[in-house]
Amino acid sequence: MVAPPVKKAPAAKAPVRKNARGGVTRTAAVPANKPPTPVEPTGPVMIPAITEKVKVLEYLPGSEPIVLAGTDNGLYRSVDLAIGWEKVEIDPRYNSNIFAIHVSPARPQTIWVGTATSGVLVSHDNGKTWAKAGGAVDNVPVSSIATDPRRPDYVYVGTVQTLYLSRDTGKTWIRRGGNLALGNYTSILINPNDTDEVLVSSSLESDGGIYISTDAGDRWKRVDTKSMKLPSRRVWSLAFDPHDSGKIFAATHSSGIYKIERTARTAAGM
């Protein structure tokens, strides 16, 4: 028995369209079995976990909480830790070794980062573009950044050498010398009830400590006086007690955490 001949599918005809002179123009035929062109993803590229060394985290509360992570190789953002992290691209001209991150609740679209060698960088559009923040110090690692919760134009920056402050959102900076000693200013604490009151801590190995200003950084006074017999004066972090603003916790280099009771006398100058 002879098998019936196999019928071939008709060849695809080239589509015809009229040209401007009334004639016809044939275009190349598209094969019926040609695979569709892949579509490039348009959303952010997510990674399940950060593999670089994480130096600092910033948590932004809200209806959609955000976590920012500064690493030795860039800035990352997560809106859902179960999904993963998105890398926030920073201009390659700038150093991306991140030591400090700050976002003011008053300006959630503005991100401040402190780098190892490019000073302070700032983005006013939620990380899409970046620029150096005015004349902030270069080539010196930035240890901490904070802004006044009521006056977000007031910016404080601690470095491994000294403290800087700006009154115009980082366009110009003032180096605080005088009675504020040389130090690695690792933490900046601003009293939310009286933002003229600012405390800073230094982790300098030879002579760290805690300083207070009651005029938004113009003048400073040392909190841990020489008469205090403290096991360590190297302070890495300061925090208010969330249940009692009259208490401050100070995390030291090797001697645990100190608790500072803010009486009427200490609040006026510790």
Side-chain angles (χ1 to χ4, degrees):
M1 183 175 181
V2 180
V6 179
K7 294 182 179 181
K8 294 183 178 180
K13 294 182 179 181
V16 177
R17 60 182 177 84
K18 290 184 177 181
N19 59 30
R21 297 182 178 181
V24 295
T25 302
R26 291 189 178 273
T27 58
V30 179
N33 59 349
K34 183 179 180 181
T37 303
V39 178
E40 294 292 332
T42 56
V45 177
M46 306 297 293
I47 59 173
I50 298 174
T51 57
E52 287 87 355
K53 181 180 179 180
V54 177
K55 292 186 171 72
V56 61
L57 293 171
E58 175 84 337
Y59 176 73
L60 312 177
S63 57
E64 295 184 354
I66 298 173
V67 180
L68 294 172
T71 75
D72 56 3
N73 190 31
L75 180 68
Y76 291 83
R77 171 169 47 207
S78 177
V79 295
D80 188 338
L81 296 178
I83 295 176
W85 296 84
E86 167 201 2
K87 188 168 186 179
V88 181
E89 296 297 336
I90 294 178
D91 192 314
R93 294 176 299 171
Y94 305 134
N95 181 265
S96 58
N97 189 353
I98 308 299
F99 282 49
I101 306 172
H102 174 72
V103 178
S104 169
R107 292 176 180 169
Q109 296 296 310
T110 298
I111 305 173
W112 299 87
V113 297
T115 69
T117 60
S118 293
V120 177
L121 305 179
V122 61
S123 171
H124 295 292
D125 52 14
N126 201 30
K128 295 178 182 177
T129 60
W130 294 87
K132 283 192 176 184
V137 62
D138 282 344
N139 302 316
V140 176
V142 174
S143 302
S144 57
I145 305 174
T147 58
D148 189 310
R150 295 182 181 176
R151 299 168 293 193
D153 289 344
Y154 283 31
V155 188
Y156 300 84
V157 170
T159 74
V160 297
Q161 295 179 345
T162 188
L163 184 80
Y164 291 82
L165 59 88
S166 173
R167 297 288 185 258
D168 52 13
T169 321
K171 295 182 179 67
T172 59
W173 296 87
I174 304 169
R175 179 171 176 166
R176 301 318 303 165
N179 56 345
L180 186 62
L182 179 72
N184 180 10
Y185 288 97
T186 51
S187 185
I188 304 165
L189 189 62
I190 302 173
N191 185 346
N193 300 318
D194 178 8
T195 60
D196 280 340
E197 184 181 80
V198 184
L199 292 105
V200 295
S201 65
S202 170
S203 64
L204 192 68
E205 185 172 1
S206 59
D207 189 23
I210 302 173
Y211 295 81
I212 186 171
S213 171
T214 56
D215 53 12
D218 287 334
R219 292 168 296 176
W220 298 89
K221 181 178 180 180
R222 187 156 187 161
V223 172
D224 53 325
T225 63
K226 297 296 184 179
S227 62
M228 296 180 180
K229 304 300 181 182
L230 300 175
S232 175
R233 295 181 184 274
R234 299 183 66 188
V235 180
W236 289 94
S237 183
L238 298 171
F240 284 113
D241 183 331
H243 305 293
D244 183 356
S245 60
K247 297 177 183 177
I248 294 174
F249 295 109
T252 69
H253 180 74
S254 59
S255 302
I257 298 175
Y258 300 157
K259 181 174 69 173
I260 303 171
E261 298 280 355
R262 290 168 54 79
T263 64
R265 179 181 61 82
T266 60
M270 309 296 284

